[in-house]
Every structure is written in structure tokens, then in C-alpha cells.
Amino acid sequence: MEFDAVGTDLGSISEKKCTEFVEALYSKAAVPGGGGAAALVGAVGTALAGMVGNLTTGKKKYAEFEDDIQRILKEAQVLQDRLLAMIDEDAKNFLPLSKAYGLPKETEEEKAYKEKTLEECTKVACSIPLEIVEVCYKAVLLQEELVGKGSALAISDVACGVQCLRAAMISGWVNVLINIKTIKDADYVADVNNRVKPMLDKGVEICDRVYADVEKQLS
């Protein structure tokens, strides 16, 4: 299967078959890339929270948690849908940046315009990876809750889920790092570092703790 080098003919990436999506990642196309992959992995990690919830709801053994499980299911669905939507949004946001790099810079006017355009496009390109971290963090909190409220028969899926979400958060963050270093807006950079980096660190810590807890239960 062939993919356009700049990704303009990819259509709705999120609606492709898994094999098509992976082939698109493998190709030289600008999109999908790491951001889209992070969103997909995050959606998978969130879906596993839904799976555990669906395997728990209605079971007498977990009746005391039924209200919480129903809430988790509703929240997980919203987060999963948002992550899937971000696959295409990330591709859409990145293309202008990839094209901006090709702007001419022969004259002072061209240099100034290119610099301004790159700054604006880079901020747009960072927006979805940043949101991936934020949304996946919310999903991690759901998985953390399921350790004690979800069906013990599906506890391994909680561990799988947090590992997917851990990878998605880190992947989203590195897609920010590679671009944010070129941004000259100090206030923007400070806001990103102060608002999102602590969330990432806390999310990773929770994922590691949840995984260790599950591994201990299964050992």
C-alpha cells in the first residue's frame, strides 16, 4: 500500500484497519507519526479500563462498587473517544509545520515570516501531544481505581492498560519536547513545563505502582 509523502491523501487515519495504520507509520509519510501512535496506544489503554469495567458490572461479588464501575465506564468511553479523535487531529495539526520548514528564507522579510510561521505552527503541533498526556493521565486514574474495584479475573488487563497509558503519556511528551525547544515564547514554554510535566511524572509513578501491585497479586 502506498502513502503520500506529506500525508495529504491519508483520509481518516483513525478509521483505517490496524494493518493499514501500521503500514502508514512505517512509510515515509509525514503523518501519521509518533503523536498519532501515542493517541492510539492511549485509546487502547483506556479501552482496557472499559473492558475491566464491563467484566465487573452486574457481578454480585462487586455490587458495592457498581456505582463507581458505571461512572468509570462512562468516563473511560469519553476519554477513549477523545484519544481516537486525536489521531486525525494530530495529523492535521502537524502538516502545516512540516510545510512551514520549506518556506523560503532568502530575504530578511522571508526570514521573519518563516520564523513567525514556524513559531505559530509549532505551538499548534504541540497541542495534541500535550492533550494526550492530560487525557491519558485521567485514564490512568481510572485504572488505578480498578485495581481495588474491578474483577480479579481481569486484573492483568489493568496492568496492560496502565502500561499502554504510560507509553502513550511519555510518547506524547517527547513529541512536545522535540518541537518546544524551537519556541521562543518563554511564557508558553514555562506554562507547558509547569502544567504538564508534573502531571506526566505523577502519571508514570501511578502506572509503575499499579503495575507493581498487580504483579504482586499475580505472583
Side-chain angles (χ1 to χ4, degrees), residues 1-190:
M1 184 173 296
E2 296 295 329
F3 298 94
D4 188 282
V6 295
T8 54
D9 296 326
L10 287 173
S12 179
I13 300 170
S14 62
E15 294 180 2
K16 290 185 178 296
K17 296 179 180 178
C18 289
T19 51
E20 293 176 338
F21 183 84
V22 172
E23 287 173 7
L25 282 175
Y26 187 89
S27 76
K28 63 181 179 181
V31 292
L40 177 60
V41 173
V44 170
T46 306
L48 284 166
M51 174 185 177
V52 175
N54 279 309
L55 289 172
T56 305
T57 185
K59 300 294 177 63
K60 292 182 179 180
K61 183 177 180 180
Y62 303 98
E64 64 180 303
F65 304 125
E66 184 63 25
D67 289 344
D68 290 330
I69 295 299
Q70 288 301 317
R71 172 181 49 78
I72 289 170
L73 284 169
K74 291 178 181 179
E75 292 180 9
Q77 184 68 64
V78 172
L79 298 177
Q80 174 189 294
D81 290 346
R82 181 62 193 132
L83 285 160
L84 288 173
M86 284 194 280
I87 297 173
D88 287 313
E89 290 179 23
D90 181 71
K92 180 180 178 181
N93 286 356
F94 180 75
L95 283 175
L97 177 60
S98 67
K99 293 179 180 179
Y101 281 116
L103 289 172
K105 53 179 180 179
E106 298 301 322
T107 67
E108 290 303 315
E109 291 77 9
E110 288 177 341
K111 289 179 181 178
Y113 176 75
K114 183 174 184 176
E115 182 177 322
K116 178 176 180 294
T117 302
L118 282 172
E119 179 94 352
E120 294 172 349
C121 290
T122 299
K123 289 181 180 179
V124 172
C126 286
S127 63
I128 292 300
L130 285 169
E131 189 179 354
I132 288 171
V133 176
E134 295 170 341
V135 174
C136 286
Y137 177 79
K138 293 177 182 177
V140 166
L141 297 181
L142 298 182
Q143 292 283 19
E144 180 184 30
E145 195 172 352
L146 285 168
V147 173
K149 299 177 180 179
S151 171
L153 296 176
I155 193 69
S156 62
D157 296 300
V158 172
C160 291
V162 293
Q163 290 292 7
C164 288
L165 291 165
R166 185 184 195 279
M169 286 190 296
I170 292 174
S171 298
W173 180 245
V174 295
N175 274 275
V176 173
L177 290 181
I178 195 170
N179 290 313
I180 202 172
K181 63 183 180 181
T182 66
I183 295 178
K184 296 181 179 180
D185 185 343
D187 290 336
Y188 173 86
V189 174

